[in-house]
């Protein structure tokens, strides 16, 4: 999402490796010792940062939902009269960045969301609903003839398209980040336009 120039914290390193390992082998297929080894600390050393694997999973899934919503709100605020079309393009670009940069989190969400505690799962769903509704408002500005249910369906369809990146093959096998991002953007815009016809 946002470009950072400073080095990731130990906590961020742990979360990144946990997401990768959970996505590759499933939540129950990974132990704390393996996560610790991936970041160069002992498994028990992870408990200085997290209460356990459940806490890591919750922070990953609640965290990314919150980041997507915060990023979308920021993009909307930064639009500054650029027009709804420019805002929609910015939202699409932000989600494409997530879909290409955080592919393990998409897999993790698809497979492991039900493992969260009820309160954490409800928080993820609440953040996701707000994110969807923000998009729906922008889509309806760009395509005023699109009713609310159709706009919501179109937004969910575009998310499905963009969130398919884990199924596109390994990151190195894609045609290049720029070309992939451009293709996804055109497809997303095409899907919205098709919803109006």
């Amino acid at each position: 999402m946002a470009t950072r120039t400073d080095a990731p914290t130990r906590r961020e390193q742990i979360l990144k490796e946990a997401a990768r390992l959970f996505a590759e082998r499933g939540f129950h297929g990974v132990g704390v010792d393996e996560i610790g080894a991936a970041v160069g600390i002992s498994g028990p050393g992870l408990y200085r940062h997290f209460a356990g694997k459940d806490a890591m999973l919750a922070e990953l899934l609640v965290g990314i939902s919150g980041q997507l919503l915060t990023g979308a709100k920021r993009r909307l605020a930064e639009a500054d009269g650029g027009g709804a079309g420019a805002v929609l393009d910015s939202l699409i670009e932000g989600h494409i960045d997530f879909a290409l940069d955080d592919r393990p989190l998409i897999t993790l969400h698809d497979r492991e969301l039900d493992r969260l505690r009820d309160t954490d799962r409800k928080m993820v769903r609440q953040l996701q609903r707000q994110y969807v509704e923000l998009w729906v408002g922008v889509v309806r500005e760009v395509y005023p003839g699109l009713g609310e249910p159709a706009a919501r369906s179109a937004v969910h369809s575009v998310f499905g398209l963009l969130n398919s990146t884990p199924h596109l093959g390994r990151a190195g096998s894609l045609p290049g980040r720029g070309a992939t991002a451009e293709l996804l953007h055109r497809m997303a815009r095409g899907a919205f336009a098709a919803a109006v016809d």
Side-chain angles (χ1 to χ4, degrees):
M1 306 254 331
T3 303
R4 290 179 44 146
T5 55
D6 52 337
T9 65
R10 174 63 81 183
R11 187 177 181 84
E12 290 168 336
Q13 291 171 344
I14 292 167
L15 286 171
K16 181 177 180 179
E17 289 304 313
R20 180 184 65 78
L21 290 167
F22 292 159
E24 286 175 4
R25 298 205 310 268
F27 180 74
H28 288 303
V30 179
V32 291
D33 290 336
E34 293 169 272
I35 298 168
V39 294
I41 60 177
S42 69
L46 289 177
Y47 293 110
R48 286 195 299 273
H49 302 277
F50 296 96
K53 286 190 340 179
D54 290 334
M56 287 180 221
L57 182 64
E59 187 158 332
L60 284 164
L61 295 180
V62 173
I64 194 57
S65 298
Q67 288 172 33
L68 284 168
L69 178 60
T70 299
K73 287 179 177 178
R74 180 181 40 74
R75 287 171 180 275
L76 193 60
E78 289 172 355
D80 227 14
V87 174
L88 181 57
D89 286 333
S90 182
L91 288 175
I92 292 169
E93 288 165 13
H95 200 96
I96 288 171
D97 286 344
F98 156 69
L100 292 175
D101 296 341
D102 293 313
R103 292 166 69 186
L105 288 176
I106 295 170
T107 301
L108 198 58
H109 179 276
D110 289 347
R111 286 191 202 152
E112 311 292 353
L113 181 65
D114 288 343
R115 297 198 190 288
L116 291 180
R117 293 178 309 171
D118 284 346
T119 54
D120 292 326
R121 190 170 47 254
K122 285 178 184 174
M123 177 59 70
V124 167
R125 293 297 190 203
Q126 178 185 11
L127 292 166
Q128 289 174 338
R129 276 191 300 275
Q130 291 176 46
Y131 184 61
V132 167
E133 293 311 310
L134 189 148
W135 275 68
V136 168
V138 173
V139 167
R140 292 193 70 208
E141 281 185 57
V142 176
Y143 303 101
L146 201 57
E148 191 173 316
R152 191 170 293 105
S153 293
V155 167
H156 282 289
S157 296
V158 167
F159 289 169
L161 166 73
L162 300 180
N163 290 346
S164 69
T165 56
H167 308 290
L168 298 178
R170 296 199 174 276
S173 69
L174 298 177
R177 193 184 196 291
T180 302
E182 185 180 326
L183 174 62
L184 289 171
H185 195 114
R186 284 196 320 267
M187 292 173 74
R189 271 303 207 135
F192 286 129
V196 178
D197 295 337

